[in-house]
Structure formats: structure tokens, C-alpha cells
Amino acid sequence: LRGPEDPTLKTPFPPGTYLLDAKTSGDTLTVTLSDSFATLTGVSLSLACCAIAKTAMDFSGVLSVEIRTNSAHLDGEESIVIRHADLVLYDSCDITDSNSN
């Protein structure tokens, strides 16, 4: 959570975000972070949750990751669950310029 060492990359996590707990139950890993993580909203929150989930899935082999904070809500939710099937790593969508017609 300290962020990348490469200065051209930016961490998706707000300052003060710490791992407080991680527990596995079946194919799900529940990650509890410090409340500062809850300052993220919208796309920034989604990106950070997916980064945590992808890392956790690759290292532990779980199929889903539940992310929560110690006491704050995440965009109004108690927790966010990311499943392996939810992660899209490559966008294969073809974008055409609507002004080219």
C-alpha cells in the first residue's frame, strides 16, 4: 500500500491507508483497511479496490475479495466485493470516431 517505487506511477491509495486485517473464508478473502481508504469514491474507489483484489487473488488463489474499512462506509456500502469475473484487464472494445461520418 506504500505505492510504486517508479516515480512515473501513482498509487491509487490515499495517504494513511493501512492493512488492519485479512481473513480467508472458503474462496473469499476479507480485507479490512484503515478508515482513510473510505475517502475514495467513484472510479477512484473502484480502481483501488480492483488493484487490491487482483493482487490478493494472484497471491492467495481466492476467487473473490471483500474490502471493508474499520468503521467507515465505502461509497455508502459497508463493503465492496470484487469477484475474479468482475476484473477486466484488457479492453477489446473498438472505438470509432463519431465525427468521421
Side-chain angles (χ1 to χ4, degrees):
L1 297 173
R2 284 184 268 175
E5 292 181 9
D6 184 335
T8 63
L9 300 175
K10 181 181 174 190
T11 181
F13 311 114
T17 300
Y18 301 100
L19 176 65
L20 300 176
D21 192 35
K23 293 180 182 173
T24 303
S25 177
D27 286 336
T28 300
L29 175 67
T30 300
V31 175
T32 304
L33 301 171
S34 55
D35 287 344
S36 62
F37 187 72
T39 62
L40 295 174
T41 60
V43 173
S44 297
L45 177 59
S46 296
L47 178 65
C49 285
C50 287
I52 291 169
K54 176 66 173 145
T55 301
M57 289 175 193
D58 285 353
F59 279 102
S60 68
V62 296
L63 299 177
S64 63
V65 177
E66 178 181 14
I67 301 164
R68 59 179 52 245
T69 63
N70 194 39
S71 62
H73 283 87
L74 301 171
D75 259 2
E77 301 294 326
E78 191 172 311
S79 67
I80 294 176
V81 176
I82 305 289
R83 292 168 187 78
H84 189 269
D86 296 334
L87 296 172
V88 177
L89 301 178
Y90 300 101
D91 185 356
S92 60
C93 180
D94 183 24
I95 299 175
T96 57
D97 184 2
S98 62
N99 295 325
S100 63
N101 293 339

